[in-house]
Amino acid sequence: MSWLNRVRNALPFVARKETTDHLWHKCKGCGQMIFNKEWEENLHVCPQCDHHGRIGPKERFQQLFDDGSVEILPNPKVAEDPLKFRDSKRYVDRLKAARTDTGEQDAYQNAYGTIAGRGCVIGVQNFAFMGGSMGQFVGEAFIAGVEAAIARGVPYIVFTASGGARMQEGILSLMQMPRTTVAIEMLHDAGLPYLVVLTDPTSGGVMAAYAMLGDVQIAEPKATLAFTGRRVIESTIREKLPEDFQTSEYYRDHGLIDRVTHRRDLPAELAQLIEFLGRKEAA
Ligand SMILES: [Zn+2]
């Protein structure tokens, strides 16, 4: 034992000073320190620069649904680690770590509730869980969300956030692209709307599947939306891309999506769309 440790151990125990780290949030947009309480009350949006922080299912449901109306829907059961995959770590260990970090089973959660009194099922993809990657669980959960919406005769709304397909499940994760597409067709056959809200970031196989198949495509401001990253495209076409390339606003200005909507305006806008698209008898 070094002399320093000996001296330290001999000293009377002094409680470590309460850290103030958990009281503050540093904005990823402008670097401003914001009181966590203020950050949460402002829907995880920076009051200085309007940067929209990444949020998971819990926060999303709380922000959107009417108080007391939320019913968390059951998660699907899927075979775990079907390929016995291992890179630098075993896939099962990565899953375990992500579960401990997030308290969620996987990267997707459905809930039923009402927005301004109008019922809908909402599915939220969670970027904090292995980059929101789409494996069998996410595919099954998406389909379960659609089936719940059909059973209740309400629209299905998805909030996407994903790096793409989950490589640890190989072809089985890619198979979720056609499966979710068929599920959306089932929703349409039932005469129900499918709405997409793209959030930061949405890319890869998710962007190439259910993220771009909405009857109405909304995005949160300044979200990064892409199939392939900027670097890959620039090196392929050997051209410099515009600064705002692959952002919500660029997509809206070039006709790929319908709206860019601030987080605080989402409940009112979604309620209006549900009202508008759900009125079958009026037609
Ligand atoms: Zn900021």
Side-chain angles (χ1 to χ4, degrees), residues 29-43:
C30 65
Q32 179 85 23
M33 298 297 276
I34 310 152
F35 252 126
N36 247 337
K37 196 170 171 326
E38 191 188 355
W39 170 246
E40 276 162 31
E41 280 169 1
N42 208 38
L43 312 174

Side-chain angles (χ1 to χ4, degrees), residues 27 29-30 46 48-49 51:
C27 172
C30 65
C46 175
Q48 304 288 326
C49 73
H51 172 81

Side-chain angles (χ1 to χ4, degrees), residues 213-272:
L213 293 173
D215 299 320
V216 179
Q217 293 279 143
I218 301 170
E220 286 193 330
K222 296 197 183 97
T224 297
L225 312 171
F227 176 64
T228 307
R230 158 190 289 268
R231 214 156 20 107
V232 177
I233 301 174
E234 280 184 336
S235 68
T236 309
I237 64 169
R238 292 168 202 279
E239 258 183 65
K240 188 99 189 87
L241 293 163
E243 204 47 52
D244 63 345
F245 185 65
Q246 295 181 328
T247 60
S248 309
E249 291 73 13
Y250 187 90
Y251 274 47
R252 177 199 56 203
D253 296 346
H254 291 79
L256 256 80
I257 62 170
D258 300 298
R259 312 265 297 162
V260 176
T261 303
H262 195 284
R263 196 169 281 168
R264 68 165 172 266
D265 301 326
L266 274 174
E269 187 152 317
L270 289 173
Q272 196 177 29

